[in-house]
Amino acid sequence: MNKIIPILLSAMIVSLSALVNPVEECGENIKIQFITLQKSTIETIKNQDYKVINTSKNTEINEIIKQMNQDMMGIETIEDREEWFLAYKDIVFQYVKWFGVPQTVFDVYTEEEITLICRAVETECYDQDFMSKCNVASVIFNRVNQEGEFGNSVIEVITKKNQFAYGRECITKSTILSIMYAYEIGDTTDGCVAFRSDKCPIEWYNWEYMFTDDAGHHFYK
């Protein structure tokens, strides 16, 4: 995963200040303040009436692209992917007035769907590392993209009997960032659609074993 990513304008655009306290104190109901912060941040940017510059006809924008790529290369020394992702989004945010507001996971899924994805990732990877959370989130997105094989919606995919656990309602910032990373940066499992944490057969149903992550989940596709 430690490759140079030049300009991924499909990444989430959120300033670091908006990530300081993304989740309220845990209560009976899940409350993800991050979603509200994200929406307000995007609206603030849109209200600035920025115009996207035609990159093919403007010399200045080529210099801006060059500088942005240099900034991206500068954060490749960050080994922790969660820290890297925060730095990445901060850079993209700085250049939004030139490139406009890219599509985010919050533009594609409803608040209910995002909340359920977060609950599933938090439950399946409770107290686990960031990349393990990204892996579970990637499996969810991969299943959703299978066009009905595992369900016709996020809700169906996650709540289908004997598939995902999603009991936890206290969502950490790391979990929220992991679903953003998995959707906006890319699949961290190379197409896996299943995982298990007990046995590790070479074949499971019609799937083939691919790898085991630090959380002890064995992934299949």
Side-chain angles (χ1 to χ4, degrees):
M1 294 298 297
N2 292 324
K3 61 182 179 180
I4 295 175
I5 302 179
I7 302 179
L8 290 179
L9 295 182
S10 62
M12 175 66 72
I13 298 180
V14 180
S15 65
L16 292 181
S17 61
L19 289 168
V20 174
N21 294 302
V23 183
E24 290 184 350
E25 293 296 327
C26 297
E28 294 182 359
N29 298 318
I30 196 168
K31 294 182 179 180
I32 305 179
Q33 289 186 2
F34 180 87
I35 296 174
T36 301
L37 288 169
Q38 162 61 14
K39 289 179 179 178
S40 63
T41 301
I42 291 298
E43 288 305 313
T44 298
I45 296 170
K46 286 181 178 179
N47 290 337
Q48 297 300 316
D49 195 28
Y50 290 131
K51 294 182 179 180
V52 178
I53 299 175
N54 188 330
T55 59
S56 64
K57 298 181 180 180
N58 195 292
T59 303
E60 179 186 3
I61 200 65
N62 292 330
E63 291 301 316
I64 294 171
I65 292 173
K66 180 179 179 181
Q67 182 59 54
M68 185 176 182
N69 284 334
Q70 289 177 350
D71 291 344
M72 290 295 182
M73 291 176 66
I75 65 174
E76 287 305 309
T77 57
I78 302 176
E79 295 184 1
D80 184 283
R81 296 310 285 179
E82 183 175 354
E83 292 182 9
W84 175 90
F85 190 43
L86 286 171
Y88 170 83
K89 290 195 282 74
D90 192 44
I91 291 174
V92 176
F93 184 81
Q94 294 175 35
Y95 290 89
V96 69
K97 67 179 180 180
W98 289 285
F99 301 111
V101 181
Q103 185 183 72
T104 73
V105 67
F106 294 93
D107 296 318
V108 178
Y109 297 104
T110 66
E111 182 173 341
E112 180 185 11
E113 290 172 328
I114 291 172
T115 298
L116 188 57
I117 295 170
C118 284
R119 289 180 58 182
V121 172
E122 189 73 50
T123 305
E124 297 284 4
C125 293
Y126 177 65
D127 204 26
Q128 296 295 334
D129 64 289
F130 178 71
M131 291 309 297
S132 293
K133 292 181 177 183
C134 290
N135 292 336
V136 170
S138 292
V139 167
I140 293 173
F141 290 131
N142 289 341
R143 285 196 168 201
V144 171
N145 292 332
Q146 289 294 321
E147 299 182 350
E149 182 177 351
F150 299 98
N152 295 311
S153 67
V154 168
I155 308 300
E156 289 184 11
V157 166
I158 294 178
T159 62
K160 193 172 182 179
K161 186 177 180 181
N162 298 326
Q163 298 305 307
F164 295 93
Y166 51 94
R168 291 192 174 275
E169 296 185 345
C170 182
I171 306 302
T172 62
K173 182 179 76 174
S174 176
T175 293
I176 298 172
L177 289 173
S178 72
I179 73 165
M180 292 163 52
Y181 186 105
Y183 181 84
E184 294 148 20
I185 297 300
D187 177 10
T188 60
T189 68
D190 190 28
C192 289
V193 294
F195 65 89
R196 59 188 297 171
S197 57
D198 50 358
K199 298 178 181 179
C200 183
I202 299 301
E203 293 185 357
W204 179 32
Y205 291 105
N206 60 331
W207 303 311
E208 181 181 354
Y209 168 76
M210 301 305 295
F211 71 97
T212 299
D213 66 12
D214 290 343
H217 290 138
H218 313 300
F219 288 83
Y220 294 80
K221 74 174 182 178

